Amino acid sequence: MDAWIISIGNEMLIGKVVNTNLSWLGRKLTLLGYRVRAALTVMDECEDIKWAFNTAKQMGASVIISTGGLGPTFDDMTSKCLSEAFNRNWVVNDKALEMVKKKYKEMGLDLTDHRIKMAKMPEGAEPLWNPVGTAPGIMMNLNGTLIFSLPGVPSEMMAIFEESIEPILRKLGPKIEFVEEEILSRGLPESTIAPIIERVMGKHRVYIKSHPQGKELGVPVQKIHIQSSSIDLNEARKELKYAKEDLIRELTQMGAEVEEVKS
Amino acid sequence: MDAWIISIGNEMLIGKVVNTNLSWLGRKLTLLGYRVRAALTVMDECEDIKWAFNTAKQMGASVIISTGGLGPTFDDMTSKCLSEAFNRNWVVNDKALEMVKKKYKEMGLDLTDHRIKMAKMPEGAEPLWNPVGTAPGIMMNLNGTLIFSLPGVPSEMMAIFEESIEPILRKLGPKIEFVEEEILSRGLPESTIAPIIERVMGKHRVYIKSHPQGKELGVPVQKIHIQSSSIDLNEARKELKYAKEDLIRELTQMGAEVEEVKS
């Protein structure tokens, strides 16, 4: 099953921002068993955004994920252009409006037109809860092609993906074997661990995430979660094993005490 | 004038590599006055590579720059697919062969079929000297659309762009005003300066490059070059001024002694 990723925003094309959303989503989708066929980066222009969605659809994408352009400002136009791309009305979604209302209520703020705009979606779309920011994500099923529209802010994009999209794609996607393990690292701060994790992810087909656990006796503790998947269970286990070995070796060399967590 | 950037390689789509070539080229082209209209990232598959070149051409690109897939291995297929995309024969280019021969002679190595492959190009193409690596870049003029194909290794891509492509695009592109200045920083290593430069580039429409000058009295010296451009000369000067002020302030805060270089 082919996935296409669409990145929306001038900032990536003029070189102000490096598109780390693409590599993060690419790894996630790959581990879920999808083939990331291509990625399109387009400007904040409605014609170009419509072109990108239509192109991905016409090229046979099963899943299209876009990032960027869901905020409250004038140049955030993804939702509107997505509606136009597939001839849907652009309407206030009641569920999305509840989500946006809840967010602003927590902040003690009223709804304004700019804020209500974030609850407008293609007719028939499903809003996705944003655990981190305000703008909900958008899910649309277009004759079997699933379209997900996410904010461009990495923390919001990742949170919506992990909470709402990953479970759906895991269920719908190709049958793949999925393995995961956890280790505990004591003695190194997360910032020291970050480049090690990046190196290990560069070498193996795995996804690794660190979760700071605070301190024990003044020493920082990180729980590190490693996932791997493949159509072949042995393949997935092998990738996980080698990645874990590399990770433990590098962490130990940097002075950490590492413990494997049995589940 | 519209520029399109094509990035070729599975590693970006499966999330192994973050595409910094795109942001680097995007900034360069923007400063040269081109509008970077869109970027396409495709797999190492001939159909997809051909699709990318044809799409950019059909969408009206004046300049197309591709990165990746020019090396000696089986999955390096950009040159061949570029030929197929525009119905040119794929032939050994004599000038390119001289370049490749020279490179291997310097290394004391003979030409092999795999190495000769790097001298094969679309008929009528012009090879571009690679000051850093072996594979020459490729330049093609297709009824007014300029196509440049570069290696994916960032140092090679940048070297070919700066040496061969930038002068051509500056001459052909929109008439823009270009300003540049240099400062000398004493006391900080290049690795400390790198994130400062990144931050300042993120805030202003400039291109900044540091050139290590060795040490003076045990203290590392960097020459830092700042460029800005705009259709409006005052605009370019303003961006340069603010970027320079930010840069000097940050460098000074980190303990550097900064001197402006009069030219």
Side-chain angles (χ1 to χ4, degrees), chain A residues 4-5 12-20 22-28 30 35-43 45 47-48 51 55 59 201-205, chain B residues 4-5 12-20 22-28 30 35-43 45 47-48 51 55 59 201-205:
Chain A
W4 283 61
I5 297 171
M12 290 165 291
L13 294 168
I14 65 172
K16 267 209 170 176
V17 163
V18 175
N19 191 353
T20 53
L22 170 56
S23 49
W24 190 89
L25 283 170
R27 177 176 294 266
K28 278 285 189 184
T30 302
R35 178 174 82 146
V36 183
R37 176 82 185 279
L40 311 176
T41 308
V42 293
M43 304 193 305
E45 297 281 347
E47 283 313 306
D48 295 39
W51 172 82
T55 299
M59 294 289 285
M201 285 214 286
K203 284 201 281 187
H204 304 282
R205 199 168 172 281
Chain B
W4 283 60
I5 297 171
M12 289 165 292
L13 294 168
I14 65 172
K16 265 209 172 177
V17 162
V18 175
N19 191 354
T20 53
L22 170 56
S23 49
W24 190 88
L25 283 170
R27 178 176 295 265
K28 278 286 191 184
T30 302
R35 179 174 82 146
V36 183
R37 177 82 185 279
L40 311 176
T41 309
V42 293
M43 303 192 306
E45 297 282 347
E47 283 313 307
D48 296 39
W51 172 82
T55 299
M59 294 289 286
M201 285 215 285
K203 285 201 279 184
H204 304 281
R205 199 168 172 283

Side-chain angles (χ1 to χ4, degrees), chain A residues 90-103:
Chain A
W90 191 47
V91 297
V92 173
N93 180 296
D94 290 340
K95 245 167 100 180
L97 190 63
E98 280 311 306
M99 292 179 181
V100 174
K101 230 186 241 170
K102 190 170 184 291
K103 286 282 179 186

Side-chain angles (χ1 to χ4, degrees), chain A residues 193-208:
Chain A
I193 289 179
I196 297 176
I197 288 180
E198 262 180 48
R199 262 199 304 279
V200 176
M201 285 214 286
K203 284 201 281 187
H204 304 282
R205 199 168 172 281
V206 294
Y207 177 71
I208 305 177

Side-chain angles (χ1 to χ4, degrees), chain B residues 48 114 120 124 143 145 168 176 195 208 232 234 236 254 259:
Chain B
D48 296 39
H114 275 79
K120 290 186 83 172
N143 314 322
T145 300
I168 296 172
I176 52 159
I208 306 177
D232 175 5
N234 285 328
M254 291 292 287
E259 179 191 327

